[in-house]
Amino acid sequence: MTEVWDNITSVQADPSLQVVIGTGLAALLLIAWRPVWRQTRQVVTIAHEGAHGLIALLVGRKLAGIRLHSDTSGVTVSRGKPNGAGMIAVLLAGYPGPALFGLAAAFVLSRGYAVALLWGLLLALLILLLQIRNLFGLWSVVAFGAVVFAVSWWGSEQVQSTFAYLLTWFLLLAAPRAVLELQSSRRHGGGRNSDADQLRRLTGVPAILWVGIFGLITLGCLVLGVLWSDVLPT
């Protein structure tokens, strides 16, 4: 355990540019290849619903539980005032959530703390697990957590760093695609109870503008993440 703690608190060597670019391309493949995306998108849902839950607690609402479904949808239930700034903040957090988590991960990686990032993620998943209220959601979080734990416990420093970069790229790149899927669903008559449509009912601002805000935030996080990764020459 002393060795693990030393690894968590120590700065790891920066990976090569080839590793940074390679993990980015691998993450892009996981998102662009539809058969794989159907499975990996569940990670985005975990981050999406986790963001709802986190903001609900921060604004003083009582978190009643989170459900994750096999179609990669999810729902976070919180108790409190059904309107107002707090509820707006909760609804606004979902789609930007994966991108913001990815940006936070990129910041941690830019400081050299890849192992700390993985163990921090494990702690977050453990806290999230306490709020899951359905069997599939339980399985999803446990399976994802098992992968992160295996890499954190048995992986070499190079493997840990590579996996941390892969996951960070995945969150940054997947978040904009989730926003595009939201608008595609709305355009074809679905998603009428989406976060954007609930925000429209609460604020009177058209749902398409909320979708645009989601898109701008996720793209902004992606740009910052690329800059922090040192992929582009300075």
Side-chain angles (χ1 to χ4, degrees):
M1 292 303 298
T2 301
E3 183 179 351
V4 171
W5 179 250
D6 287 341
N7 288 336
I8 292 174
T9 56
S10 299
V11 175
Q12 285 75 48
D14 291 335
S16 66
L17 183 60
Q18 289 81 359
V19 169
V20 176
I21 295 176
T23 51
L25 293 175
L28 190 60
L29 179 62
L30 293 175
I31 297 163
W33 191 10
R34 186 175 295 275
V36 177
W37 173 243
R38 293 194 188 104
Q39 307 303 319
T40 58
R41 196 188 189 286
Q42 196 65 46
V43 175
V44 179
T45 304
I46 291 172
H48 179 117
E49 300 303 331
H52 279 316
L54 175 62
I55 298 303
L57 292 174
L58 290 178
V59 299
R61 298 178 65 84
K62 183 177 180 181
L63 191 58
I66 296 173
R67 292 177 177 270
L68 306 173
H69 304 134
S70 58
D71 63 354
T72 72
S73 65
V75 60
T76 298
V77 179
S78 61
R79 297 192 180 98
K81 189 177 179 182
N83 49 34
M87 192 63 208
I88 292 172
V90 171
L91 292 170
L92 183 58
Y95 280 94
L100 291 170
F101 289 142
L103 185 60
F107 177 80
V108 173
L109 289 179
S110 72
R111 297 299 185 267
Y113 291 102
V115 177
L117 172 63
L118 296 179
W119 284 99
L121 175 59
L122 277 174
L123 178 60
L125 289 172
L126 180 60
I127 295 172
L128 178 65
L129 193 63
L130 300 177
Q131 296 295 332
I132 298 297
R133 295 295 183 267
N134 67 323
L135 186 59
F136 183 83
L138 183 69
W139 157 251
S140 296
V141 176
V142 169
F144 182 41
V147 173
V148 177
F149 175 79
V151 173
S152 304
W153 189 262
W154 288 294
S156 65
E157 183 176 308
Q158 183 177 6
V159 169
Q160 292 167 338
S161 181
T162 300
F163 181 78
Y165 269 88
L166 175 63
L167 182 58
T168 300
W169 277 123
F170 179 81
L171 290 172
L172 289 171
L173 291 166
R177 171 159 186 176
V179 175
L180 290 175
E181 289 181 342
L182 166 64
Q183 183 53 28
S184 176
S185 175
R186 295 187 66 259
R187 190 167 55 247
H188 291 89
R192 295 308 178 187
N193 200 36
S194 69
D195 294 350
D197 288 277
Q198 292 184 68
L199 284 165
R200 174 187 59 79
R201 290 192 288 270
L202 281 176
T203 65
V205 177
I208 187 62
L209 291 183
W210 289 112
V211 175
I213 291 172
F214 297 159
L216 288 174
I217 295 174
T218 56
L219 289 175
C221 289
L222 176 57
V223 170
L224 278 177
V226 170
L227 293 176
W228 287 347
S229 70
D230 291 331
V231 171
L232 298 178
T234 56

